[in-house]
Amino acid sequence: MNQEYLYYACAIAAVILSGLAKGGFAGVGALAMPIMALGVDPVKGAAILLPILILQDAVSVWSFRHSWDRHIAKVMLPGMAMGVAIGYVFAAQVSEVAVLGVLGLISALFGLQRLWVERGGAMVLPSNSPSWIGVLFGMASGFTSQIAHAGSPPFQMWVLPKRLPRDMLVGTTAVTFATMNWMKVPAYAALGQFTRTNLLATATLIPVAVAATLAGVVLVKRVDAARFYTLIYVLMVLLGIKLLVDALLA
């Protein structure tokens, strides 16, 4: 396949997945960067995607602006800031493949565990884990997000067991990730990633980015709230397996 066609095929697929994730189908967005990397250098791909993610965050935050948990945001954002900083400092020494492999294994195991616990519609009491645990998961989310735009699984591992209402879960995810993605901007700017070429590539993907996010918002509101968590856990398992297989085959 012509390299330019391959790039656009991968870029459009990546942007659609990230848009669906920002619209509410959390988790699938972690596949965006691996798919993008099939068509372009991973460093350039990450730089092209970051402004797209920020734009999609804005659409998602606006759509769910009345439904988000301020306590979760206050707990996780400081950890996310630390994780982003650690990811920036140690980016050159960290293997992205290894990080995504470990993340994939943990995501799959977590999703399977939650599906087992909640099988058959069993009632599960919301988690009440202490805030310092949330800070640690926030650090893991910030670190994996800085390394590979894959911060969703650690965030979900602390937040999903709290059993927030569907729209509040999506809104909380939107607000926290919108804030975290802005935290990543100085690091990308310092590394010289916002070049004219990269920004032009970003601009060509904007219509797809907005349409995919709005589609995600519409679709997620049509999913039965009682089955929403099951769907997210299934997506986590599939995502985890995909990331793990990619790491083993790398």
Side-chain angles (χ1 to χ4, degrees), residues 193-207:
Q193 294 303 314
F194 295 132
T195 64
R196 183 174 181 274
T197 301
N198 288 349
L199 291 175
L200 285 175
T202 295
T204 63
L205 295 168
I206 285 176

Side-chain angles (χ1 to χ4, degrees), residues 87-215:
Y88 169 67
V89 171
F90 293 101
Q93 289 78 39
V94 172
S95 167
E96 180 180 321
V97 172
V99 170
L100 291 179
V102 172
L103 186 63
L105 176 61
I106 295 173
S107 298
L109 292 176
F110 174 80
L112 288 170
Q113 186 266 345
R114 296 303 301 182
L115 286 171
W116 174 257
V117 169
E118 300 181 20
R119 64 192 183 282
M123 293 297 294
V124 179
L125 292 177
S127 168
N128 226 7
S129 62
S131 294
W132 67 268
I133 298 292
V135 174
L136 293 179
F137 276 101
M139 288 179 65
S141 182
F143 178 78
T144 53
S145 185
Q146 176 66 27
I147 295 295
H149 293 325
S152 183
F155 173 87
Q156 291 174 324
M157 288 175 203
W158 192 64
V159 175
L160 291 183
K162 295 184 177 299
R163 303 295 298 181
L164 298 176
R166 181 195 60 200
D167 288 0
M168 184 165 288
L169 171 63
V170 178
T172 304
T173 304
V175 170
T176 50
F177 276 81
T179 306
M180 180 170 64
N181 280 328
W182 276 106
M183 293 175 185
K184 290 150 59 175
V185 170
Y188 276 74
L191 293 170
Q193 294 303 314
F194 295 132
T195 64
R196 183 174 181 274
T197 301
N198 288 349
L199 291 175
L200 285 175
T202 295
T204 63
L205 295 168
I206 285 176
V208 178
V210 174
T213 309
L214 290 174

Side-chain angles (χ1 to χ4, degrees), residues 23 25 30 48 59 64 73 77 112 126 136 140 154 166 173 188-189 193 227 236 242 248:
F25 295 101
I48 292 171
V59 175
F64 294 95
L77 283 173
L112 288 170
L136 293 179
R166 181 195 60 200
T173 304
Y188 276 74
Q193 294 303 314
R227 297 181 180 177
M236 284 192 75
K242 171 67 167 62
L248 292 174

